[in-house]
Every structure is written in C-alpha cells, then in structure tokens.
Amino acid sequence: IKMMASGYHYREVANLMEAVKQLMNHFEKYTNIPKVSEIKTRVMTIQKDLKIHVHAVFQEIGQVCAFFLFFIA
C-alpha cells in the first residue's frame, strides 16, 4: 500500500485500504493478541501517512495552479 501510494496509484490504494478495513473490523475482537494489535497500529499509521501524503499533493497542485493563474491574469 505504501509503495502504491508513493506512486500515486490512489484508486488501487483506496481499494486495498477498504479490504484492509473490512479485515480489521473482523479481527477487532482479537486486538488483545499482540500480532493483531501490531497490525492494527500499522494500519492506522499507514492511514495517517496516506492522509498527510494526499493533503501534501493537493497543496502542491494548488500552488502550481495559483502560480499559473498569476501569469495568465
């Protein structure tokens, strides 16, 4: 998922994250098991990192658009 996100394959990442969320919902009652808890933490970290990454990309797009609009006007 991380590799796909860094390659801007957001549609595929979204599909994978949806599958991971469904799996994590299924295993939610097993979070007392260390491995399940570790995976849950990793998934939450990946989600947070993805949000930051996507937000940064949109900020860059906004800056580029503003730059071009400045010269067009």
Side-chain angles (χ1 to χ4, degrees):
I1 292 175
K2 286 182 180 181
M3 289 178 7
M4 293 179 84
S6 65
Y8 303 101
H9 301 282
Y10 297 124
R11 183 178 306 241
E12 292 86 353
V13 170
N15 290 336
L16 287 172
M17 286 304 297
E18 181 60 32
V20 168
K21 282 170 138 180
Q22 289 177 11
L23 283 169
M24 290 310 300
N25 284 339
H26 176 74
F27 286 101
E28 186 66 34
K29 57 189 167 204
Y30 302 107
T31 54
N32 59 328
I33 298 171
K35 191 64 175 179
V36 174
S37 180
E38 175 191 337
I39 292 170
K40 179 181 178 179
T41 301
R42 287 176 62 195
V43 168
M44 290 170 47
T45 300
I46 290 170
Q47 285 178 319
K48 184 184 80 167
D49 292 346
L50 283 170
K51 286 179 185 179
I52 291 169
H53 179 75
V54 169
H55 183 71
V57 168
F58 274 94
Q59 280 187 320
E60 287 178 29
I61 291 170
Q63 290 172 356
V64 169
C65 288
F67 177 77
F68 283 115
L69 288 175
F70 176 77
F71 284 105
I72 291 174

